[in-house]
Amino acid sequence: TAIQADKQANKESRRNNPSTSSSSSSSSSSSRRRRRRRRRRKRSIMVSLEVPSYLSDGLSWMWKNLVLPPPQLLIGERDWTVSFMLEEIIWLDLLLIFPMALVTGFVTQRLASRAILPYVFGSGSWNTMIRMVVTHLVTKSLLSSVNCLHARDEEHDESTLAWWTTNLGFDCPAKEELKADLLPTHSTLMVTLLVRFMFVCVGVYLGELFTPIAVTGNIACGKSTIVSRLLRGQFPREEGDPEVDGEEEEELIDFSEEIEVIDVDKIAHEVLLPKRYGSVYQDVLKAFGPSILGQEKDPESDIIMIDRTKLGEVIFDDAEKRRRLNNMTHPRIASLMLQKMIYHSYIGSLFSLNPKIVVVDIPLLFESGPILCLLFSLVCVAGTTPEIQKQRLKTRNPDWSEEHCEQRIKSQMPLARKTKQADVVLWNDCKLEDFYDKVDKFREDCSDRILGTLPLRLYHLILLMGVSVLLAIYFKKHTELLQTLRDTFKFF
């Protein structure tokens, strides 16, 4: 009866106030329309995002089994099983340890090649000291990475990040979580350390092989003289050796089996030839027109070649045209140069006991940016005085006027800036015989900077250290395994 009385009162109020009843009815109808629209949107979204069951099941299986490494397979395995091997080699060694070792060898070689304290350490002593320090750090990190090769409780929910950090020794569990019956077996620890040392040695070896040396400088400073003397020269004379008379011809020694030269100017000539690998002949011809063509034809393609003198006259006074030409040629030149550097560093020296030293004659090294400088383990700059530079440029090009020679010199980066960024500066402001002696000493100094005082590279030292550690662990009992690792870790 109370409910019926309320309903009757509501009806009477609506009759007495029709405006409020219409507004309330309209508001309620609008709210109902809004709810219907939301339901339709939800249905459309659900329909558009609906994925076939077989595709969703396949994606979830790939995500769980291929993308995310299941941590239970490695942590908690007592013996070296197939799952343990795949987890260790694929997810840890190939994807993390090997790239880190590659970068370590690359950076160590560049740090060891630069004599940071030349008045305290010689180039060879500095190189050997850096290698010993890096070997100590690498061995220490590898020993600490196997401290957590044990099993945790199955109830412990472990994420992928925790799996990585635990198996690399960064996030070891507390002592209370260690259980003696879940520790890895003797063979498991031995094989894990052996595999990690192998991947580290291979990565460091490949990183160390890439050791090109750059020879750069301004025009008429003696870059070509340095390169030719590096290939054919003599061993540096000692202080007590007698001087050779000018009439006697010195017997030159061929160092081409030890040194490989890459001429970037030659690559720049080749990219302007038609029908060559990486040629920009058609692009340059479309950009600057047929006025840059010469009279000679390419013997291989029988096509008229570009006259470099005419091309130089077109772009010399126009900065915009020079920029367009550089944008077309420089990426191709850098790509071909890098391909040759990789080929001679790896393919030609991969299985050689005495790998070749790759020397790159590159005039515009510093103008190309700092990233290109990082590729070289050593940078040598040929320098001379402005007066001698102008005189040599005038002698080499008698048709040029003095003003044109000065413009050519001023168009390049100042030599003072290049000498500040160089590792070695060879000043060509003396007699030719004295400059030859400087180049011969530089050749011997390059071998000391790259190889060091000891004839051992970084991967040799890491390999010797790894063998000694594995032998020390092998001759210990299984019950003394953790104590052996701690003692060995403290020893290093």
Side-chain angles (χ1 to χ4, degrees), residues 187-473:
S187 60
T188 301
L189 182 65
M190 287 283 296
V191 176
T192 304
L193 266 179
L194 177 62
V195 170
R196 293 188 182 184
F197 267 110
M198 286 174 56
F199 274 93
V200 168
C201 289
V202 172
V204 168
Y205 173 65
L206 294 178
E208 276 191 309
L209 272 184
F210 193 71
T211 57
I213 298 173
V215 177
T216 185
N218 284 350
I219 188 172
C221 286
K223 299 185 301 295
S224 302
T225 306
I226 294 176
V227 172
S228 60
R229 185 66 181 185
L230 288 175
L231 284 175
R232 290 183 59 83
Q234 285 187 334
F235 293 107
R237 293 200 305 263
E238 303 293 337
E239 295 182 357
D241 294 343
E243 295 184 0
V244 180
D245 296 335
E247 300 178 356
E248 299 181 4
E249 294 184 358
E250 57 179 2
E251 297 181 359
L252 299 180
I253 303 172
D254 188 9
F255 293 96
S256 59
E257 296 183 357
E258 303 176 7
I259 298 175
E260 187 70 35
V261 175
I262 298 174
D263 191 355
V264 178
D265 277 341
K266 185 178 179 181
I267 298 176
H269 281 269
E270 291 177 354
V271 298
L272 292 178
L273 295 176
K275 303 296 182 180
R276 295 295 196 279
Y277 175 70
S279 174
V280 293
Y281 176 85
Q282 296 295 336
D283 299 335
V284 175
L285 193 60
K286 289 179 182 178
F288 300 100
S291 61
I292 60 175
L293 294 176
Q295 301 297 328
E296 299 180 358
K297 290 186 177 181
D298 182 29
E300 294 186 7
S301 59
D302 198 23
I303 299 176
I304 299 177
M305 295 187 297
I306 295 175
D307 191 346
R308 293 176 60 86
T309 304
K310 294 182 179 179
L311 181 61
E313 292 176 356
V314 170
I315 67 171
F316 182 72
D317 295 327
D318 195 334
E320 179 63 24
K321 292 182 178 180
R322 186 164 60 249
R323 184 187 61 81
R324 288 173 58 192
L325 179 64
N326 292 337
N327 292 337
M328 286 186 287
T329 58
H330 283 186
R332 299 288 180 90
I333 295 172
S335 176
L336 294 174
M337 180 193 69
L338 185 60
Q339 292 177 25
K340 291 188 176 184
M341 288 165 59
I342 293 175
Y343 175 80
H344 292 298
S345 297
Y346 290 111
I347 307 301
S349 305
L350 189 59
F351 301 104
S352 177
L353 296 177
N354 296 319
K356 286 187 175 182
I357 298 175
V358 179
V359 178
V360 182
D361 184 2
I362 173 169
L364 302 178
L365 173 62
F366 298 108
E367 290 86 346
S368 302
I371 297 178
L372 189 61
C373 298
L374 296 177
L375 294 176
F376 297 97
S377 60
L378 199 64
V379 177
C380 173
V381 171
T384 187
T385 59
E387 294 78 12
I388 298 177
Q389 184 181 8
K390 188 188 302 182
Q391 180 182 357
R392 289 174 182 167
L393 192 59
K394 182 66 178 176
T395 305
R396 184 191 301 177
N397 303 279
D399 298 336
W400 291 1
S401 62
E402 292 188 0
E403 295 180 358
H404 187 72
C405 291
E406 291 180 357
Q407 290 178 357
R408 287 276 182 173
I409 294 174
K410 291 180 180 179
S411 64
Q412 295 182 327
M413 180 185 291
L415 188 62
R417 289 179 56 187
K418 294 186 177 182
T419 54
K420 289 180 180 179
Q421 302 178 49
D423 300 312
V424 178
V425 180
L426 297 179
W427 289 101
N428 190 9
D429 54 354
C430 53
K431 295 182 180 179
L432 187 60
E433 292 77 10
D434 297 335
F435 187 63
Y436 282 162
D437 292 339
K438 294 180 182 180
V439 178
D440 293 336
K441 292 179 181 179
F442 172 67
R443 187 193 308 108
E444 186 180 15
D445 186 54
C446 286
S447 61
D448 291 340
R449 287 173 180 264
I450 293 176
L451 297 177
T453 305
L454 299 175
L456 295 175
R457 288 181 172 264
L458 180 60
Y459 76 94
H460 289 140
L461 299 175
I462 295 176
L463 186 61
L464 291 174
M465 195 68 71
V467 171
S468 62
V469 170
L470 291 174
L471 288 177
I473 296 175

Side-chain angles (χ1 to χ4, degrees), residues 104-151:
T104 300
F106 185 85
V107 174
T108 301
Q109 183 60 47
R110 274 134 192 80
L111 183 61
S113 300
R114 289 163 169 79
I116 305 233
L117 300 173
Y119 300 104
V120 181
F121 302 99
S123 57
S125 302
W126 172 261
N127 188 302
T128 304
M129 185 186 70
I130 291 296
R131 292 171 192 260
M132 295 290 288
V133 171
V134 174
T135 302
H136 163 75
L137 296 176
V138 169
T139 308
K140 191 173 181 180
S141 62
L142 284 177
L143 286 175
S144 62
S145 69
V146 297
N147 285 339
C148 300
L149 284 180
H150 61 273

